[in-house]
Amino acid sequence: MSSTTGPNRRVLSGMRPTGGLHLGHLHGALNNWLRLQYEYDCFFFVADWHALTTHYEDTSIIAPSVREMLVEWLAVGINPSAATIFVQSDVPEHAELHLLLSMITPLGWLERVPTYKDQQEKLKERDLATYGFLGYPLLQSADILMYRAGHVPVGEDQVAHVEITREVARRFNHLYGREADFEQRAERAMRHLGGKQSRLYADFRKSYQERGDEAALESGRALVENHPRLTMADRERLLGYLEGVGRTILVEPEALLTHTPRVPGLDGQKMSKSYGNTIGLGEAPEAVEKKLRTMQTDPARVRRTDPGEPEKCPVWQFHQIYSGDAVQSWVQEGCRSAGIGCIECKQPVIDAVLKELQPIRERIIEFTASPGTVDIILSEGRDRARDAARETMDDVRDAMGLEYR
Ligand code: TRP
Ligand code: SF4
């Protein structure tokens, strides 16, 4: 309900280049992106400046990871003719918008974002008491608002960042979205609604602005959006006037939370580079096989004859992702009765993971061997991204009164 120009089909998402991708990324974000790229106008970017906020002391991992990440995206099927793929620092407008937004963002909003304290706790070995790290969510807001994205596919941990983005957009529009004669123009637009509709609109507006009545806000929006005879500009004005804000310059995005399976790491914790429990997308089959063969199982099964409990075993979580009903019942039954051994139980998982990774690995090798192809994809992506970014920045500078050169 954030877009004022019909249904917003723009999707934006990014990933930090801090090392190779693994099965957690594939089943979390990437499979989702693969679907989205054919249904939406997708922009996917490598968030290299975001990586700097935590890796500023030793930046050596960033450059190779940018390349590696792009190759891995391409290898899993992110399609540069369907989606725009680019690197954040190739579009310096992100830094400009971040700076401009920083002027209007209260410190408290950033200090209250849960990831701020969480990450500082979690990554104790790094000094994250920096200006840049505090601004992490705001840089993300700039990424999102730059492309006027309606939808941002993210994991649970990132929802707060989309939320703050909405608040920042609202504040920006409130501060700078006013035309000099906004009120008169809005009142004039109201008359175009027609007598009865215009009275309804006024009632909805009053209920929302005086009592915070969300239902009235929704009804008012529906009235405006479904009205057959409004110009685009009048529609925007009336939507802004309804909420008590001005014209929409920056579009409020929504988090697109898709249910994705949680891939356990080899030790049963969440799969994550920092826990050293990953299976990389480009890893050699022998290494993958060895990792799975030696991965943790239910600790109660010390001997082959001890019965186990799948719910306490990370291998079972893999079965839930990779195996059909028949194999799943075989595991449940065989584990609890000690009818099967753990090595036996792991075999279908090993087979499925190897089968899934094989074509990806082949394509990683292909793309790695032709850096020129990746260069072309990158430069096309950069051009498309910059075009969109320039358009937004023109509006932003204009709204802020910065076009005085
Ligand atoms: N913060 C995101 C993460 O760690 C990465 C990111 C940066 C991002 N900018 C973004 C995600 C914009 C979505 C939209 O996963
Ligand atoms: Fe885990 Fe399978 Fe062993 Fe049971 S039999 S403990 S599910 S690996």
Side-chain angles (χ1 to χ4, degrees), residues 124-352:
K124 276 223 177 65
E125 69 284 5
R126 303 212 171 103
D127 179 4
L128 295 183
T130 59
Y131 181 47
F133 187 69
L134 177 67
Y136 185 110
L138 192 62
L139 180 56
Q140 186 163 350
S141 300
D143 301 336
I144 298 168
L145 298 173
M146 185 70 83
Y147 301 95
R148 299 183 154 130
H151 311 275
V152 185
V154 284
E156 206 101 42
D157 60 323
Q158 298 286 311
V159 173
H161 296 176
V162 179
E163 200 44 52
I164 195 175
T165 303
R166 297 168 59 83
E167 282 168 27
V168 170
R170 220 173 293 150
R171 187 165 163 84
F172 185 95
N173 292 332
H174 177 72
L175 288 170
Y176 306 116
R178 277 179 197 283
E179 299 158 302
D181 50 355
F182 178 71
E183 244 109 273
Q184 291 92 305
R185 281 168 186 262
E187 292 286 338
R188 217 175 308 137
M190 246 174 90
R191 290 200 288 277
H192 295 310
L193 289 170
K196 181 153 167 268
Q197 300 261 49
S198 124
R199 273 192 301 280
L200 265 174
Y201 173 92
D203 286 346
F204 290 142
R205 177 169 182 266
K206 194 156 173 237
S207 304
Y208 176 66
Q209 292 194 10
E210 288 179 5
R211 298 194 303 278
D213 182 347
E214 293 284 339
L217 175 63
E218 283 308 310
S219 308
R221 280 176 177 159
L223 185 155
V224 173
E225 275 164 1
N226 297 324
H227 197 281
R229 283 185 314 278
L230 286 175
T231 64
M232 200 91 99
D234 276 350
R235 199 142 62 109
E236 280 193 17
R237 284 190 189 100
L238 287 173
L239 287 171
Y241 196 50
L242 185 67
E243 279 190 74
V245 298
R247 194 162 59 94
T248 307
I249 296 156
L250 298 177
V251 174
E252 284 181 48
E254 300 205 14
L256 199 60
L257 262 178
T258 338
H259 181 73
T260 52
R262 176 179 167 280
V263 182
L266 297 165
D267 55 1
Q269 297 188 80
K270 183 180 169 195
M271 187 176 279
S272 157
K273 190 119 197 145
S274 50
Y275 299 143
N277 62 3
T278 61
I279 293 180
L281 295 185
E283 264 185 78
E286 305 75 42
V288 173
E289 182 159 359
K290 177 149 179 251
K291 279 185 173 178
L292 288 168
R293 249 185 230 303
T294 53
M295 83 178 271
Q296 201 170 305
T297 60
D298 176 1
R301 287 203 81 177
V302 182
R303 280 174 294 268
R304 165 71 176 79
T305 46
D306 296 332
E309 173 48 57
E311 296 302 330
K312 295 185 181 145
C313 176
V315 178
W316 169 240
Q317 295 181 55
F318 275 93
H319 276 295
Q320 287 176 297
I321 297 170
Y322 288 100
S323 303
D325 290 347
V327 172
Q328 288 192 5
S329 341
W330 171 76
V331 173
Q332 292 271 330
E333 211 279 315
C335 179
R336 293 193 177 116
S337 66
I340 58 172
C342 291
I343 293 289
E344 224 179 325
C345 176
K346 286 172 173 176
Q347 195 57 50
V349 169
I350 295 174
D351 294 342

Side-chain angles (χ1 to χ4, degrees), residues 114-129:
T115 46
Y116 179 56
K117 290 259 150 56
D118 287 358
Q119 293 289 96
Q120 283 185 337
E121 287 285 303
K122 240 197 198 148
L123 304 173
K124 276 223 177 65
E125 69 284 5
R126 303 212 171 103
D127 179 4
L128 295 183

